[in-house]
Amino acid sequence: MNPIVVPAPHAATHKPNAPPAAQDLRFPPTPPTSTSELAGLTISLQRALRQFPDFPSPGILFEDILPIFADAHLHHDLIRALELHVAEHYGRAERPDVIVGLEARGFLFGPSLALRLGAGFVPVRKQGKLPGPTETAGYEKEYGTDFFQIQADAIRPGQKVLIVDDIIATGGSAAAAGSLVKKLGGTLLGYVFILELDFLQGRQKLDAGASTLLSSQ
């Protein structure tokens, strides 16, 4: 009787899943949107602001953005609105490599925005607050000169940089931050603010385009 030959099992053809290709973290996938989404977000954010007259000095109507951060939904809406705003103004061709936030309120939303855009975050701080080698730039205030600093290795030459802060008033501090970006060899794309005091004409001191998320005074 012929022996029964049992064929050897074939080698498994299934291969373990290959590691996913590196994803471009910048402008992470979000559902397609229209200007109506951004408009709706800015309306709800504008309504959340509180106003305090004659603060910090007579004649100034202070716009308080802190209620936005006290509400998780509004906080989320702010970051989403800023993401859409940046995409609308700069697109993919000029998307930033680095978000620079100004002390102190630029720190409230700058890191979250950078994360959404897949960019790095770099703080600009008052003189003496950063360790290691730094670059320094001065700017005029009402009662004298103040100084901003950035760590000397925070931005690599050629990186595209967007500067953010809560409000532009006289423009001096933002202009100083812009000069620091250029000292390090960065390409300054522009400035994004939540609000603006138009009557102070701070934009005139800036050497790159500026935009605001919410309507200005």
Side-chain angles (χ1 to χ4, degrees):
M1 183 173 60
N2 294 330
I4 297 174
V5 179
V6 179
H10 293 290
T13 56
H14 174 73
K15 296 180 180 179
N17 290 332
Q23 294 181 351
D24 186 350
L25 295 178
R26 298 171 184 163
F27 291 99
T30 50
T33 186
S34 65
T35 55
S36 61
E37 181 187 0
L38 180 56
L41 291 171
T42 56
I43 288 172
S44 64
L45 292 168
Q46 193 92 39
R47 288 173 177 168
L49 300 177
R50 293 186 300 186
Q51 296 181 336
F52 293 92
D54 299 321
F55 182 85
S57 58
I60 300 295
L61 180 63
F62 186 84
E63 299 273 11
D64 184 14
I65 66 171
L66 294 182
I68 293 174
F69 298 94
D71 183 290
H73 294 291
L74 287 172
H75 190 177
H76 173 274
D77 287 350
L78 173 64
I79 303 306
R80 173 63 174 158
L82 287 166
E83 177 191 8
L84 294 173
H85 182 85
V86 171
E88 182 178 279
H89 282 75
Y90 298 96
R92 289 183 175 273
E94 292 297 326
R95 60 191 179 187
D97 301 306
V98 177
I99 299 294
V100 166
L102 275 59
E103 187 173 345
R105 297 195 177 199
F107 300 171
L108 292 176
F109 59 92
S112 298
L113 176 61
L115 188 62
R116 288 291 297 175
L117 301 180
F121 177 77
V122 171
V124 164
R125 300 209 63 186
K126 296 291 182 68
Q127 189 174 36
K129 297 295 183 69
L130 291 171
T134 57
E135 292 287 350
T136 303
Y139 60 97
E140 295 302 319
K141 298 183 68 175
E142 186 177 0
Y143 299 109
T145 302
D146 210 343
F147 296 92
F148 263 163
Q149 289 185 322
I150 192 171
Q151 288 181 313
D153 60 353
I155 296 171
R156 298 190 301 273
Q159 284 190 305
K160 298 175 183 178
V161 180
L162 192 63
I163 295 174
V164 302
D165 201 8
D166 66 326
I167 191 167
I168 175 172
T170 63
S173 59
S179 71
L180 290 173
V181 168
K182 292 185 174 181
K183 278 185 179 182
L184 298 186
T187 299
L188 181 58
L189 295 179
Y191 303 80
V192 172
F193 305 96
I194 297 178
L195 293 163
E196 179 177 9
L197 300 180
D198 290 337
F199 64 91
L200 293 176
Q201 300 181 335
R203 290 183 187 229
Q204 295 184 5
K205 293 184 179 179
L206 305 181
D207 55 358
S211 61
T212 56
L213 179 65
L214 304 180
S215 59
S216 306
Q217 295 182 28

